[in-house]
Amino acid sequence: MSNNSRKLIIASNRLPFVLERDGDSWKLIPGSGGLVTAMAPVLRDRGGTWIGWPGIAGKVDISDHLASASTSAGFDMKPVYLEEEDVKQYYIGLSNEVLWPLFHDLQSYCNFNPSYWQAYIDINARFARVISENAGPEDFIWVHDYHLLATASELKKLGMQTSIAFFLHIPFPPLDIFAKLPWRTEILHSMLAYDIVGFQTLRDRRNFLQCLRTFVDDISIEGKGQVLTARSGGRSIRIGYFPISIDYDEFSHMAESREVADAAWYIHEDIPKGKIVLGVDRLDYTKGIPYRFRAFEKFLEEHPDLHRKITLVQVVVPSRRNIPVYEDLKIEIERMVGEINGRFTRSGWVPIHYIFRSLSRPELLGYYRTAEIALITPLKDGMNLVAKEYCASNIEQSGVLILSEFAGAAPQMKKGAILVNPYSIEEVSKAIFDAWRMDLRERRMRMKKLQGSVAKNDIYWWVNSFLNVSIDRKLDDFPPV
Ligand code: ADQ
């Protein structure tokens, strides 16, 4: 079989489209979140296959919808169906009540319910079956994220010989935190069934290696640089770090478009006075929105002379609404917006503009282009693509990026951004002031550095470095169809 018949097979919990009720029928809407933003341009028009859950419980016949979405996307989509109980135990349960909070160092949010583990393994086995039904012997199988840590071990049980790659989009926690996980040894052994395991940053890989050395008896680790080799149970596993990115050119070209210029004009019309500070996040407690509001409140307390001269626009995209802690966070955010606006609003000026919905690309870029300051302060983040999107879209090169030191993007962006500890209300408040008064020359210098680094290390650089390490190939070896 020639290289040209080799296909990319991507598996992630969700398909890049989600199914929603539309009266008596269904409609497919584009998925949200960093994984989709990053992977969609990689697979687009390459004739590969994306395997994942369509986002609703139960088995509904969506073959027509998937066929037309596949035709327009240029790759096939194959569904993995989940029943309501699977969603509760595997998705809401182990994935989002255990792994998500624990891997973001927020162990107090965890619910270590013993019944979750078996359900997680069963669904990973279901993903493995769908992958094995759809992958040819030459295909490159690339599994994504924390929902599917155990898919390779299930694929190997099915006799799969092909090498299987994995990329973790979220952080890997330090030993002390990981050690709390009741299934810590099982998880590590499952991850060692992959042939290559990729993390976002050196921090995450270092944490993973320390956990391996602590909990896996026969582990040995060799090599140095971006990719190391671990040996265990007679197998070799390569372990690297690959900071994910965005399609820089797509964002920067689109930011210059008429549509985005119009969107930016309307935003200015709406908020005519002063500078805009922008926060853009999925609804998630890891994104640090309440701390950010407290920091902005402190800034307003300390700088009464700057009232009316600065406005915080906080965009939140709805996410995981069926999980109670997310609903509580939404209520908390709304309460805080009401409280701060109630306290500081004056005629003609409202300090926080709060938007709770998914924005279209041009609208989102309109905000990126208009905002003088981006305030991106997650408590912890695998990478944070919003920080990179803001820089790519800031075509006037006059914006300032304030970024959490706990975002995976921080090591790459520290030379141009103002780095902050998101838990320090004083430090974030001071950073807003520093950004507000920074002169144009310094802003330009910093933004050029940021743009240079994101443009150089874009999503194609990321996918090529991963493919190169995994199978000694580049994306262009999977030619467009
Ligand atoms: P996320 O936690 O989803 O991703 P992030 O990387 O910031 O976080 O990506 C969010 C994506 O959603 C961005 O592409 C952004 O454009 C989009 N988005 C945000 N708000 C929006 C809105 N209101 N309307 C429309 N789109 C919106 C996970 C990890 C991250 C990691 C990524 C990729 O948690 O740490 O960077 O995967 O690996």
Side-chain angles (χ1 to χ4, degrees):
M1 206 178 274
S2 78
N3 282 337
N4 285 356
S5 57
R6 175 173 238 169
K7 282 190 305 166
L8 272 173
I9 309 272
I10 287 181
S12 66
N13 173 58
R14 288 285 182 101
L15 284 171
F17 290 89
V18 291
L19 204 56
E20 261 191 10
R21 268 252 173 249
D22 184 18
D24 286 344
S25 163
W26 297 97
K27 63 176 178 192
L28 280 183
I29 56 163
S32 65
L35 194 151
V36 172
T37 310
M39 295 311 295
V42 169
L43 212 53
R44 189 180 304 141
D45 295 329
R46 265 173 223 283
T49 303
W50 194 320
I51 292 165
W53 175 43
I56 42 132
K59 188 167 179 176
V60 282
D61 183 13
I62 53 165
S63 37
D64 288 353
H65 292 83
L66 283 184
S68 66
S70 295
T71 310
S72 64
F75 54 84
D76 281 342
M77 283 180 242
K78 298 286 175 194
V80 177
Y81 292 107
L82 301 183
E83 297 302 330
E84 215 150 289
E85 196 54 23
D86 305 327
V87 176
K88 273 195 199 140
Q89 304 269 331
Y90 143 84
Y91 175 67
I92 296 181
L94 201 91
S95 300
N96 285 316
E97 287 182 3
V98 178
L99 298 175
W100 177 267
L102 193 76
F103 280 32
H104 286 88
D105 303 352
L106 297 168
Q107 66 203 60
S108 60
Y109 283 79
C110 291
N111 172 10
F112 296 114
N113 183 332
S115 70
Y116 290 167
W117 177 248
Q118 191 53 48
Y120 184 80
I121 295 298
D122 292 346
I123 301 304
N124 271 255
R126 195 175 300 168
F127 270 82
R129 277 197 299 280
V130 179
I131 293 170
S132 73
E133 283 158 17
N134 287 283
E138 292 284 307
D139 292 345
F140 177 58
I141 301 171
W142 193 358
V143 179
H144 289 260
D145 228 2
Y146 61 103
H147 316 84
L148 302 179
L149 294 170
T151 302
S153 50
E154 297 301 319
L155 274 165
K156 301 240 152 124
K157 284 183 200 159
L158 295 174
M160 176 77 76
Q161 306 282 333
T162 326
S163 92
I164 309 163
F166 177 78
F167 184 76
L168 185 67
H169 289 255
I170 67 172
F172 196 88
L175 172 63
D176 283 2
I177 303 233
F178 183 76
K180 313 278 189 310
L181 185 64
W183 310 280
R184 60 197 185 187
T185 320
E186 291 87 335
I187 286 277
L188 292 175
H189 281 287
S190 302
M191 290 177 76
L192 289 171
Y194 284 100
D195 298 278
I196 171 150
V197 176
F199 296 95
Q200 298 271 24
T201 65
L202 182 58
R203 161 194 81 183
D204 306 307
R205 189 185 70 179
R206 199 183 286 139
N207 289 342
F208 180 64
L209 294 181
Q210 207 186 356
C211 292
L212 286 181
R213 287 192 183 102
T214 308
F215 295 117
V216 178
D217 291 339
D218 68 340
I219 197 83
S220 71
I221 292 153
E222 292 159 21
K224 57 180 180 183
Q226 195 195 359
V227 183
L228 308 178
T229 302
R231 291 186 210 288
S232 167
R235 298 183 65 246
S236 297
I237 305 101
R238 271 162 320 141
I239 304 174
Y241 62 95
F242 306 86
I244 203 165
S245 195
I246 56 163
D247 188 337
Y248 183 90
D249 289 342
E250 187 185 318
F251 274 89
S252 65
H253 289 145
M254 193 170 193
E256 288 171 358
S257 69
R258 182 79 253 149
E259 251 181 314
V260 170
D262 287 350
W265 187 85
Y266 279 114
I267 293 164
H268 262 308
E269 274 278 293
D270 233 20
I271 310 172
K273 290 187 207 133
K275 295 190 173 179
I276 293 178
V277 182
L278 177 69
V280 175
D281 308 85
R282 267 189 319 97
L283 178 71
D284 205 296
Y285 52 83
T286 60
K287 303 292 181 184
I289 300 171
Y291 275 102
R292 185 181 309 164
F293 283 171
R294 286 288 164 239
F296 187 64
E297 182 180 39
K298 185 157 185 60
F299 170 86
L300 295 176
E301 280 166 3
E302 289 183 348
H303 301 283
D305 52 319
L306 297 183
H307 291 190
R308 297 174 185 275
K309 295 184 181 153
I310 199 160
T311 299
L312 173 63
V313 175
Q314 176 63 55
V315 183
V316 176
V317 63
S319 176
R320 305 182 192 166
R321 296 288 304 281
N322 47 357
I323 304 179
V325 69
Y326 285 76
E327 205 47 45
D328 295 347
L329 176 67
K330 179 172 181 280
I331 293 167
E332 168 73 354
I333 290 172
E334 286 166 359
R335 194 191 59 72
M336 290 183 78
V337 171
E339 187 192 310
I340 297 169
N341 281 345
R343 195 173 153 204
F344 292 99
T345 296
R346 295 290 178 271
S347 141
W349 173 67
V350 178
I352 303 181
H353 286 221
Y354 170 60
I355 300 165
F356 182 70
R357 65 188 160 84
S358 190
L359 303 181
S360 68
R361 262 291 165 86
E363 240 183 319
L364 182 64
L365 268 65
Y367 280 103
Y368 287 153
R369 214 184 123 164
T370 317
E372 281 83 2
I373 300 166
L375 188 55
I376 301 178
T377 55
L379 304 180
K380 195 158 185 187
D381 221 329
M383 181 54 52
N384 195 295
L385 296 181
V386 170
K388 295 187 173 183
E389 293 169 5
Y390 173 70
C391 297
S393 313
N394 200 264
I395 52 176
E396 275 85 17
Q397 297 187 310
S398 55
V400 183
L401 172 65
I402 301 174
L403 179 63
S404 162
E405 62 188 83
F406 306 128
Q412 287 180 306
M413 304 184 94
K414 66 179 175 208
K415 288 208 177 110
I418 302 179
L419 290 195
V420 290
N421 172 356
Y423 289 96
S424 170
I425 289 164
E426 280 91 359
E427 199 181 317
V428 176
S429 162
K430 181 174 175 307
I432 300 171
F433 183 60
D434 290 345
W436 192 86
R437 66 177 177 171
M438 192 182 284
D439 64 45
L440 183 61
R441 201 189 53 82
E442 183 171 353
R443 281 185 274 144
R444 283 251 149 87
M445 187 189 73
R446 284 172 175 263
M447 186 46 76
K448 278 186 187 163
K449 271 190 196 149
L450 288 166
Q451 290 183 338
S453 124
V454 183
K456 183 164 157 246
N457 298 328
D458 69 357
I459 188 68
Y460 299 104
W461 165 85
W462 174 79
V463 72
N464 280 329
S465 51
F466 196 93
L467 292 177
N468 186 29
V469 166
S470 307
I471 45 171
D472 200 15
R473 292 278 184 279
K474 300 190 298 300
L475 190 59
D476 288 346
D477 295 324
F478 299 87
V481 288

